[in-house]
Amino acid sequence: MANTNIGYSELDSFIQDVEQIVQSGGIEEVLISKIKTRMQQLLKSEKVLPDQYMQPQPTSALYPLHVAQDESFSIAVTVFNVGQPSPMHDHGTWGVIGVVKGVEHEIKYARPSGENEPLTVVQDRYIREGEVGICCSSEQDLHQVECASPMPCVGIHVYGANIGKIERHMYNPQTGAKKVGITPWVPVPDSNSTL
């Protein structure tokens, strides 16, 4: 599933740089910081993604842009259509997001201290086109996102694992109850197709 040559020189260079950052190792905070800085550089490019990666789906799309052969990291493109939310979920790894188009509304929650407790909000923010944020770390890994713009929200997400394959948790915001699930990769649409 590793797409090492997307055909966009800036994007291909970004993928190679992230691979080098992850392979060099180090503590999570250092990796996240380096990837965030590199993502900020990428988002200054005039055209960041091929059109087929920017198409919404009936439910939010998680397109694979690159998955490391050893699955030590993955780069996803997420697309939320207007008003489309994600379930409340965790990731089980670190993650950095950059918004390519639109606005993403993110609400972060504290992990419940016990079973079946309501979740409390710790951060409510908007990430706009061209901005980069840390979506998850070992300390803060629970959120819900939705498109908050009049156009689909497209983001590039870098995770410290194969995010389309690992088991994660979905949460009920009222009760804190969680269930195990996998958010599978969505096949990238053909470059000539539109919804």
Side-chain angles (χ1 to χ4, degrees), residues 72-89:
S72 58
F73 75 97
S74 59
I75 304 176
V77 176
T78 61
V79 182
F80 293 94
N81 212 343
V82 177
Q84 197 174 59
S86 73
M88 189 176 297
H89 62 280

Side-chain angles (χ1 to χ4, degrees), residues 80 84-89 91 95-97 99 103-109 121-128 131-137 140-148 153 157 159:
F80 293 94
Q84 197 174 59
S86 73
M88 189 176 297
H89 62 280
H91 306 82
V96 178
I97 62 170
V99 175
V103 178
E104 180 177 296
H105 180 208
E106 178 191 40
I107 302 174
K108 291 189 175 190
Y109 295 87
V121 174
V122 294
Q123 186 178 30
D124 188 333
R125 68 177 175 169
Y126 292 86
I127 306 170
R128 291 170 171 74
E131 295 180 346
V132 178
I134 296 166
C135 76
C136 46
S137 65
Q140 179 58 53
D141 184 33
L142 181 55
H143 74 174
Q144 182 176 32
V145 297
E146 67 179 346
C147 176
C153 179
H157 294 213
Y159 294 105

Side-chain angles (χ1 to χ4, degrees), residues 1-179:
M1 181 176 292
N3 297 336
T4 52
N5 190 342
I6 306 299
Y8 277 55
S9 60
E10 266 305 308
L11 189 57
D12 291 335
S13 175
F14 172 75
I15 292 168
Q16 291 168 8
D17 289 348
V18 169
E19 186 142 26
Q20 201 168 34
I21 290 167
V22 173
Q23 287 177 352
S24 69
I27 60 172
E28 181 179 294
E29 291 81 5
V30 172
L31 291 177
I32 288 172
S33 176
K34 288 180 179 178
I35 292 169
K36 181 179 178 183
T37 299
R38 185 60 183 89
M39 179 94 71
Q40 288 166 332
Q41 295 168 357
L42 173 67
L43 294 181
K44 291 177 183 171
S45 303
E46 191 171 321
K47 178 121 168 104
V48 178
L49 289 169
D51 290 340
Q52 64 263 36
Y53 284 92
M54 300 179 72
Q55 296 183 37
Q57 297 290 331
T59 59
S60 58
L62 183 71
Y63 298 129
L65 189 61
H66 179 82
V67 179
Q69 288 187 343
D70 63 358
E71 300 189 342
S72 58
F73 75 97
S74 59
I75 304 176
V77 176
T78 61
V79 182
F80 293 94
N81 212 343
V82 177
Q84 197 174 59
S86 73
M88 189 176 297
H89 62 280
D90 64 18
H91 306 82
T93 186
W94 54 263
V96 178
I97 62 170
V99 175
V100 175
K101 177 182 166 188
V103 178
E104 180 177 296
H105 180 208
E106 178 191 40
I107 302 174
K108 291 189 175 190
Y109 295 87
R111 285 197 173 278
S113 54
E115 289 293 317
N116 299 322
E117 290 183 10
L119 302 177
T120 55
V121 174
V122 294
Q123 186 178 30
D124 188 333
R125 68 177 175 169
Y126 292 86
I127 306 170
R128 291 170 171 74
E129 187 171 317
E131 295 180 346
V132 178
I134 296 166
C135 76
C136 46
S137 65
S138 297
E139 290 78 35
Q140 179 58 53
D141 184 33
L142 181 55
H143 74 174
Q144 182 176 32
V145 297
E146 67 179 346
C147 176
S149 51
M151 66 191 71
C153 179
V154 179
I156 296 176
H157 294 213
V158 180
Y159 294 105
N162 182 345
I163 201 68
K165 187 175 174 183
I166 62 172
E167 286 189 348
R168 306 194 279 158
H169 300 97
M170 310 304 161
Y171 292 78
N172 180 310
Q174 284 77 39
T175 67
K178 64 181 180 178
K179 62 180 181 179

